[in-house]
Amino acid sequence: MAAKKWGLIIIIMINLVFSCFASSLWGMDSAREKTGEEVFINQVGYLTNAPKFVISAKAAGEFVIFDEKEKSIFQGALEPFADPTSMQTVWRGDFSSQKIPGVYRIFIPEVGWSYPFTIDHAVYNQVLALGTRYYYLQRCGIVLNDDSSGLSHPLCHRQDGVMARADAFNQKGDIIPSMGGWHDAGDYGKYTTTTTVTVAQLLAAYQLWPEKFVDGQFGIPESGNGRPDLLDEARVGIEWLFTMQRPDGAVYHKLSGRYWPNIGTSPDFDRQPRYIYGISTADTGKFAATMAIVARVFQGMDPDLAERAEQAAKKAWGFLAENEFIWDHSGFDDQGSGAYGTTDDWPDRIWAAMELGVLTGDDSYVSAVINEENTFRRPYQPTPISWSDGALLGLFHYACEEGGRPELSAELTAMIIKLADHYLAAVDRSGYRYTLKFNEFAWASNKEALSRGITMLLAAELKANPQYQLAALAQLDFVLGFNPLSQCYVAGLGTKTVKSPHHRLVVASSKSVPGLLVGGPNNQAESGVEPRDRGPFSYQDATPSYSSNETAIDYNAALVFVASAFAATPE
Ligand code: 9MR
Ligand code: ZN
């Protein structure tokens, strides 16, 4: 009893000392104890009931949380942790017990301050809003005049697109009306590969959490039309995808200029011819799968669109059924646009089969890729969703829906759980609760981590285990600033935010694209700008760093998906 009382008195005294200390430092950083540099938190913030961790890069024993009135509200211990993500020892503290909404900062004596962060039940609604609105700012073939970001450009790419080569249906030089869609990234190419997996993930998030999406939510031109803004934005990608399908069902891989436009080129100044290059069965498979999802989502809401999508999906499937792997590109096709190349379409066929099986209830799609013993006709290892393989989503959709083969559903469920458990174990080993180990940081590492998070969110739908959600959320913590560079990787969010992404419109306008997620740390450092082989430190917030600081529509799709899972339902 007495010991407890003394403990309390000591804590109160320590708090008093820190309060004085804090008032001199709050908002005004001393040279010795800097802000943000060595104390890491999620700079956007934490859900009231979520786990909350702070990391100190330097040895320290305790941390103190201060509220906006500079009052210390909590003191906790830091424990050393051998962290495989940074390959360093870090000192980690847990403040999960803090649930009172507000804005806070953490102080670690002799180390420094954290950036401010919020605790709130709706703390990720802004992540979802900006992350989704990003697509509006990436739209192609529009006049952009956006007050909130200040971004604008006259009508761009008005002649999309020109047939680069003749095929059985079109002559070289023919115009195939294909305006619209989204600029892929910091470049202006439009790719079936990323547009499909993006649309599919946006719609999958909607299917899982429809209550989180309403009309007027993101402030886009379609706001007010009575339909959730998310679906309006997805439709921009969907309508463009329709234009990429050939009459025989095959789908063209990409539409882009022959050369990369210079980095400061506004889209309306990119006036080189924009070519439609050859078809691929990989893209045809992704298209079939995505259109099958479109058909399901829009069935009740927009039967016309749903019908068009179903027919397009079936036609694409028909082409796949008639053709082995095709990749109709030569190295001479272009000298400047995304390759998104592949030598195998098996994952795409699996994905298409699953989604069409779910849409139609017809087992013949499924039996094209799965045999009577419920195993894949050719070996297949599920992976987190990426531009090169979206099949996991198909496996998930099949596992969720009634009416398929029950044994197959059980097999697919087990596969997804196994993959998720693998990442769950990685999270438990990491000081940052990140799925990536030091040597796993490659191009688009931020997206890869969020995709692993998605894998765990899908598993959570199939098997009740709250750890899956919490581990997925931890991937978002890292991307929002809880990392060894103390870097928030989403422009417009956090304190140390992305300022110089590799993005042509950003350079041309000197404005920011709020909500833009960059690729992040990349050991290979292809651009030669970010440091090589430094794991989570292989990142540079610099325009020329296309391999660590570019965006892409499929990166944001992973961000939007994970943010959707944790956003509060709009009131
Ligand atoms: O996101 C893509 C990444 O996974 C690849 O490793 C990389 C190299 O092929 O390409 C990335 O995609 C880029 C695309 O090729 C062109 N538009 C910008 C994309 C993001 O950097
Ligand atoms: Zn454009």
PDB file of all heavy atoms in Angstrom, residues 184-187 191 260 337-340 387 443-444 447 546 550-552 554-555, ligand 1:
ATOM      1  N   ASP A 184      -1.561   6.743 -65.050  1.00  0.00           N
ATOM      2  CA  ASP A 184      -1.128   5.639 -64.195  1.00  0.00           C
ATOM      3  C   ASP A 184      -0.441   6.106 -62.925  1.00  0.00           C
ATOM      4  O   ASP A 184      -0.579   5.489 -61.867  1.00  0.00           O
ATOM      5  CB  ASP A 184      -0.161   4.743 -64.977  1.00  0.00           C
ATOM      6  CG  ASP A 184       0.228   3.494 -64.213  1.00  0.00           C
ATOM      7  OD1 ASP A 184      -0.695   2.763 -63.800  1.00  0.00           O
ATOM      8  OD2 ASP A 184       1.426   3.244 -64.047  1.00  0.00           O
ATOM      9  N   ALA A 185       0.333   7.179 -63.045  1.00  0.00           N
ATOM     10  CA  ALA A 185       1.270   7.461 -61.958  1.00  0.00           C
ATOM     11  C   ALA A 185       1.779   8.881 -62.121  1.00  0.00           C
ATOM     12  O   ALA A 185       1.011   9.790 -62.418  1.00  0.00           O
ATOM     13  CB  ALA A 185       2.401   6.434 -62.038  1.00  0.00           C
ATOM     14  N   GLY A 186       3.090   9.067 -61.970  1.00  0.00           N
ATOM     15  CA  GLY A 186       3.694  10.349 -62.274  1.00  0.00           C
ATOM     16  C   GLY A 186       3.920  10.485 -63.769  1.00  0.00           C
ATOM     17  O   GLY A 186       4.330  11.529 -64.259  1.00  0.00           O
ATOM     18  N   ASP A 187       3.652   9.390 -64.498  1.00  0.00           N
ATOM     19  CA  ASP A 187       3.688   9.432 -65.965  1.00  0.00           C
ATOM     20  C   ASP A 187       2.244   9.456 -66.471  1.00  0.00           C
ATOM     21  O   ASP A 187       1.301   9.410 -65.696  1.00  0.00           O
ATOM     22  CB  ASP A 187       4.468   8.233 -66.531  1.00  0.00           C
ATOM     23  CG  ASP A 187       3.769   6.912 -66.254  1.00  0.00           C
ATOM     24  OD1 ASP A 187       2.951   6.856 -65.304  1.00  0.00           O
ATOM     25  OD2 ASP A 187       4.021   5.936 -66.974  1.00  0.00           O
ATOM     26  N   TYR A 191      -2.719   1.966 -68.375  1.00  0.00           N
ATOM     27  CA  TYR A 191      -2.401   0.546 -68.489  1.00  0.00           C
ATOM     28  C   TYR A 191      -3.563  -0.303 -68.015  1.00  0.00           C
ATOM     29  O   TYR A 191      -4.107  -0.077 -66.912  1.00  0.00           O
ATOM     30  CB  TYR A 191      -1.150   0.222 -67.658  1.00  0.00           C
ATOM     31  CG  TYR A 191       0.015   1.153 -67.950  1.00  0.00           C
ATOM     32  CD1 TYR A 191       0.254   2.281 -67.176  1.00  0.00           C
ATOM     33  CD2 TYR A 191       0.859   0.928 -69.043  1.00  0.00           C
ATOM     34  CE1 TYR A 191       1.295   3.151 -67.454  1.00  0.00           C
ATOM     35  CE2 TYR A 191       1.916   1.791 -69.327  1.00  0.00           C
ATOM     36  CZ  TYR A 191       2.122   2.909 -68.524  1.00  0.00           C
ATOM     37  OH  TYR A 191       3.155   3.772 -68.811  1.00  0.00           O
ATOM     38  N   TRP A 260       8.869   8.834 -72.630  1.00  0.00           N
ATOM     39  CA  TRP A 260       8.473   9.482 -71.374  1.00  0.00           C
ATOM     40  C   TRP A 260       8.434  10.988 -71.629  1.00  0.00           C
ATOM     41  O   TRP A 260       9.426  11.552 -72.094  1.00  0.00           O
ATOM     42  CB  TRP A 260       9.499   9.239 -70.275  1.00  0.00           C
ATOM     43  CG  TRP A 260       9.750   7.823 -69.868  1.00  0.00           C
ATOM     44  CD1 TRP A 260      10.899   7.112 -70.082  1.00  0.00           C
ATOM     45  CD2 TRP A 260       8.874   6.947 -69.159  1.00  0.00           C
ATOM     46  NE1 TRP A 260      10.777   5.855 -69.549  1.00  0.00           N
ATOM     47  CE2 TRP A 260       9.545   5.723 -68.975  1.00  0.00           C
ATOM     48  CE3 TRP A 260       7.572   7.078 -68.653  1.00  0.00           C
ATOM     49  CZ2 TRP A 260       8.979   4.638 -68.322  1.00  0.00           C
ATOM     50  CZ3 TRP A 260       7.014   5.998 -68.001  1.00  0.00           C
ATOM     51  CH2 TRP A 260       7.708   4.794 -67.836  1.00  0.00           C
ATOM     52  N   SER A 337       7.427   3.923 -71.416  1.00  0.00           N
ATOM     53  CA  SER A 337       6.180   3.761 -70.664  1.00  0.00           C
ATOM     54  C   SER A 337       6.318   2.477 -69.870  1.00  0.00           C
ATOM     55  O   SER A 337       7.235   1.697 -70.076  1.00  0.00           O
ATOM     56  CB  SER A 337       4.947   3.724 -71.577  1.00  0.00           C
ATOM     57  OG  SER A 337       5.034   2.700 -72.519  1.00  0.00           O
ATOM     58  N   GLY A 338       5.409   2.305 -68.930  1.00  0.00           N
ATOM     59  CA  GLY A 338       5.520   1.170 -68.017  1.00  0.00           C
ATOM     60  C   GLY A 338       5.499  -0.148 -68.778  1.00  0.00           C
ATOM     61  O   GLY A 338       4.709  -0.340 -69.699  1.00  0.00           O
ATOM     62  N   ALA A 339       6.377  -1.052 -68.383  1.00  0.00           N
ATOM     63  CA  ALA A 339       6.420  -2.350 -69.055  1.00  0.00           C
ATOM     64  C   ALA A 339       5.288  -3.239 -68.550  1.00  0.00           C
ATOM     65  O   ALA A 339       4.536  -3.804 -69.334  1.00  0.00           O
ATOM     66  CB  ALA A 339       7.764  -3.014 -68.789  1.00  0.00           C
ATOM     67  N   TYR A 340       5.170  -3.325 -67.235  1.00  0.00           N
ATOM     68  CA  TYR A 340       4.181  -4.220 -66.632  1.00  0.00           C
ATOM     69  C   TYR A 340       4.149  -5.550 -67.382  1.00  0.00           C
ATOM     70  O   TYR A 340       3.089  -6.067 -67.721  1.00  0.00           O
ATOM     71  CB  TYR A 340       2.789  -3.573 -66.620  1.00  0.00           C
ATOM     72  CG  TYR A 340       2.671  -2.383 -65.682  1.00  0.00           C
ATOM     73  CD1 TYR A 340       2.252  -1.143 -66.145  1.00  0.00           C
ATOM     74  CD2 TYR A 340       2.971  -2.502 -64.335  1.00  0.00           C
ATOM     75  CE1 TYR A 340       2.140  -0.048 -65.282  1.00  0.00           C
ATOM     76  CE2 TYR A 340       2.873  -1.415 -63.469  1.00  0.00           C
ATOM     77  CZ  TYR A 340       2.450  -0.197 -63.949  1.00  0.00           C
ATOM     78  OH  TYR A 340       2.341   0.874 -63.096  1.00  0.00           O
ATOM     79  N   TRP A 387      -0.098  -5.845 -59.283  1.00  0.00           N
ATOM     80  CA  TRP A 387      -0.407  -5.694 -60.701  1.00  0.00           C
ATOM     81  C   TRP A 387      -0.077  -6.967 -61.468  1.00  0.00           C
ATOM     82  O   TRP A 387      -0.607  -7.205 -62.550  1.00  0.00           O
ATOM     83  CB  TRP A 387       0.278  -4.472 -61.322  1.00  0.00           C
ATOM     84  CG  TRP A 387       1.788  -4.467 -61.320  1.00  0.00           C
ATOM     85  CD1 TRP A 387       2.587  -3.755 -60.470  1.00  0.00           C
ATOM     86  CD2 TRP A 387       2.667  -5.169 -62.206  1.00  0.00           C
ATOM     87  NE1 TRP A 387       3.901  -3.974 -60.770  1.00  0.00           N
ATOM     88  CE2 TRP A 387       3.991  -4.839 -61.833  1.00  0.00           C
ATOM     89  CE3 TRP A 387       2.478  -6.033 -63.277  1.00  0.00           C
ATOM     90  CZ2 TRP A 387       5.109  -5.340 -62.495  1.00  0.00           C
ATOM     91  CZ3 TRP A 387       3.586  -6.543 -63.923  1.00  0.00           C
ATOM     92  CH2 TRP A 387       4.879  -6.197 -63.534  1.00  0.00           C
ATOM     93  N   TRP A 443      10.909  -2.057 -54.956  1.00  0.00           N
ATOM     94  CA  TRP A 443      10.055  -1.042 -55.608  1.00  0.00           C
ATOM     95  C   TRP A 443       8.605  -1.218 -55.131  1.00  0.00           C
ATOM     96  O   TRP A 443       8.056  -2.319 -55.220  1.00  0.00           O
ATOM     97  CB  TRP A 443      10.133  -1.223 -57.124  1.00  0.00           C
ATOM     98  CG  TRP A 443       9.691  -0.036 -57.929  1.00  0.00           C
ATOM     99  CD1 TRP A 443       8.616   0.778 -57.704  1.00  0.00           C
ATOM    100  CD2 TRP A 443      10.312   0.456 -59.124  1.00  0.00           C
ATOM    101  NE1 TRP A 443       8.535   1.753 -58.665  1.00  0.00           N
ATOM    102  CE2 TRP A 443       9.557   1.573 -59.562  1.00  0.00           C
ATOM    103  CE3 TRP A 443      11.435   0.064 -59.872  1.00  0.00           C
ATOM    104  CZ2 TRP A 443       9.873   2.295 -60.722  1.00  0.00           C
ATOM    105  CZ3 TRP A 443      11.743   0.783 -61.020  1.00  0.00           C
ATOM    106  CH2 TRP A 443      10.973   1.889 -61.437  1.00  0.00           C
ATOM    107  N   ALA A 444       8.002  -0.137 -54.664  1.00  0.00           N
ATOM    108  CA  ALA A 444       6.610  -0.159 -54.166  1.00  0.00           C
ATOM    109  C   ALA A 444       6.474  -0.946 -52.861  1.00  0.00           C
ATOM    110  O   ALA A 444       5.475  -1.627 -52.632  1.00  0.00           O
ATOM    111  CB  ALA A 444       5.651  -0.688 -55.217  1.00  0.00           C
ATOM    112  N   LYS A 447       3.289  -0.268 -50.951  1.00  0.00           N
ATOM    113  CA  LYS A 447       2.130  -0.974 -51.494  1.00  0.00           C
ATOM    114  C   LYS A 447       2.170  -2.451 -51.129  1.00  0.00           C
ATOM    115  O   LYS A 447       1.153  -3.040 -50.761  1.00  0.00           O
ATOM    116  CB  LYS A 447       2.081  -0.805 -53.016  1.00  0.00           C
ATOM    117  CG  LYS A 447       0.850  -1.341 -53.641  1.00  0.00           C
ATOM    118  CD  LYS A 447       0.965  -2.454 -54.668  1.00  0.00           C
ATOM    119  CE  LYS A 447       2.275  -3.056 -54.894  1.00  0.00           C
ATOM    120  NZ  LYS A 447       2.398  -3.778 -56.148  1.00  0.00           N
ATOM    121  N   TYR A 546      12.388   8.053 -59.074  1.00  0.00           N
ATOM    122  CA  TYR A 546      11.177   7.359 -59.553  1.00  0.00           C
ATOM    123  C   TYR A 546      11.006   5.989 -58.911  1.00  0.00           C
ATOM    124  O   TYR A 546       9.909   5.464 -58.840  1.00  0.00           O
ATOM    125  CB  TYR A 546      11.177   7.248 -61.083  1.00  0.00           C
ATOM    126  CG  TYR A 546      12.388   6.551 -61.664  1.00  0.00           C
ATOM    127  CD1 TYR A 546      12.452   5.166 -61.705  1.00  0.00           C
ATOM    128  CD2 TYR A 546      13.462   7.285 -62.163  1.00  0.00           C
ATOM    129  CE1 TYR A 546      13.571   4.523 -62.222  1.00  0.00           C
ATOM    130  CE2 TYR A 546      14.578   6.658 -62.674  1.00  0.00           C
ATOM    131  CZ  TYR A 546      14.633   5.279 -62.705  1.00  0.00           C
ATOM    132  OH  TYR A 546      15.733   4.648 -63.210  1.00  0.00           O
ATOM    133  N   GLU A 550       7.723   7.617 -56.543  1.00  0.00           N
ATOM    134  CA  GLU A 550       6.630   7.790 -57.501  1.00  0.00           C
ATOM    135  C   GLU A 550       5.361   7.188 -56.902  1.00  0.00           C
ATOM    136  O   GLU A 550       5.407   6.390 -55.965  1.00  0.00           O
ATOM    137  CB  GLU A 550       6.958   7.120 -58.850  1.00  0.00           C
ATOM    138  CG  GLU A 550       5.941   7.492 -59.926  1.00  0.00           C
ATOM    139  CD  GLU A 550       6.355   7.113 -61.344  1.00  0.00           C
ATOM    140  OE1 GLU A 550       7.472   6.612 -61.540  1.00  0.00           O
ATOM    141  OE2 GLU A 550       5.537   7.334 -62.266  1.00  0.00           O
ATOM    142  N   THR A 551       4.259   7.597 -57.450  1.00  0.00           N
ATOM    143  CA  THR A 551       2.965   7.039 -57.069  1.00  0.00           C
ATOM    144  C   THR A 551       2.523   6.071 -58.157  1.00  0.00           C
ATOM    145  O   THR A 551       3.165   5.965 -59.183  1.00  0.00           O
ATOM    146  CB  THR A 551       1.934   8.185 -56.977  1.00  0.00           C
ATOM    147  OG1 THR A 551       0.630   7.634 -57.002  1.00  0.00           O
ATOM    148  CG2 THR A 551       2.035   9.109 -58.173  1.00  0.00           C
ATOM    149  N   ALA A 552       1.451   5.361 -57.970  1.00  0.00           N
ATOM    150  CA  ALA A 552       0.780   4.630 -59.052  1.00  0.00           C
ATOM    151  C   ALA A 552      -0.617   4.288 -58.566  1.00  0.00           C
ATOM    152  O   ALA A 552      -0.847   4.159 -57.356  1.00  0.00           O
ATOM    153  CB  ALA A 552       1.539   3.363 -59.433  1.00  0.00           C
ATOM    154  N   ASP A 554      -2.303   1.672 -58.586  1.00  0.00           N
ATOM    155  CA  ASP A 554      -2.461   0.428 -57.811  1.00  0.00           C
ATOM    156  C   ASP A 554      -1.904   0.572 -56.398  1.00  0.00           C
ATOM    157  O   ASP A 554      -2.345  -0.134 -55.492  1.00  0.00           O
ATOM    158  CB  ASP A 554      -1.846  -0.769 -58.546  1.00  0.00           C
ATOM    159  CG  ASP A 554      -0.352  -0.632 -58.762  1.00  0.00           C
ATOM    160  OD1 ASP A 554       0.108   0.475 -59.154  1.00  0.00           O
ATOM    161  OD2 ASP A 554       0.382  -1.614 -58.554  1.00  0.00           O
ATOM    162  N   TYR A 555      -0.969   1.493 -56.175  1.00  0.00           N
ATOM    163  CA  TYR A 555      -0.506   1.722 -54.798  1.00  0.00           C
ATOM    164  C   TYR A 555      -1.668   2.307 -53.984  1.00  0.00           C
ATOM    165  O   TYR A 555      -1.948   1.886 -52.865  1.00  0.00           O
ATOM    166  CB  TYR A 555       0.664   2.713 -54.710  1.00  0.00           C
ATOM    167  CG  TYR A 555       1.888   2.453 -55.545  1.00  0.00           C
ATOM    168  CD1 TYR A 555       2.938   3.382 -55.542  1.00  0.00           C
ATOM    169  CD2 TYR A 555       2.035   1.311 -56.318  1.00  0.00           C
ATOM    170  CE1 TYR A 555       4.082   3.181 -56.291  1.00  0.00           C
ATOM    171  CE2 TYR A 555       3.184   1.114 -57.077  1.00  0.00           C
ATOM    172  CZ  TYR A 555       4.195   2.052 -57.070  1.00  0.00           C
ATOM    173  OH  TYR A 555       5.326   1.880 -57.817  1.00  0.00           O
TER     174      TYR A 555
HETATM  175  O1  9MR B   1       4.914  -0.276 -59.731  1.00  0.00           O
HETATM  176  C1  9MR B   1       5.795  -0.865 -60.667  1.00  0.00           C
HETATM  177  C2  9MR B   1       6.811  -1.708 -59.933  1.00  0.00           C
HETATM  178  O2  9MR B   1       6.173  -2.781 -59.275  1.00  0.00           O
HETATM  179  C3  9MR B   1       7.837  -2.216 -60.920  1.00  0.00           C
HETATM  180  O3  9MR B   1       8.852  -2.887 -60.208  1.00  0.00           O
HETATM  181  C4  9MR B   1       8.415  -1.061 -61.720  1.00  0.00           C
HETATM  182  C5  9MR B   1       9.451  -1.495 -62.744  1.00  0.00           C
HETATM  183  O4  9MR B   1       8.872  -2.255 -63.740  1.00  0.00           O
HETATM  184  O5  9MR B   1       7.379  -0.353 -62.375  1.00  0.00           O
HETATM  185  C6  9MR B   1       6.436   0.203 -61.502  1.00  0.00           C
HETATM  186  O6  9MR B   1       5.441   0.805 -62.253  1.00  0.00           O
HETATM  187  C7  9MR B   1       5.687   2.033 -62.894  1.00  0.00           C
HETATM  188  C8  9MR B   1       5.255   1.856 -64.330  1.00  0.00           C
HETATM  189  O7  9MR B   1       6.131   0.982 -64.963  1.00  0.00           O
HETATM  190  C9  9MR B   1       5.125   3.158 -65.081  1.00  0.00           C
HETATM  191  N1  9MR B   1       4.328   4.109 -64.383  1.00  0.00           N
HETATM  192  C10 9MR B   1       4.835   4.363 -63.060  1.00  0.00           C
HETATM  193  C11 9MR B   1       4.836   3.100 -62.240  1.00  0.00           C
HETATM  194  C12 9MR B   1       5.233   3.373 -60.805  1.00  0.00           C
HETATM  195  O8  9MR B   1       6.575   3.693 -60.670  1.00  0.00           O
END
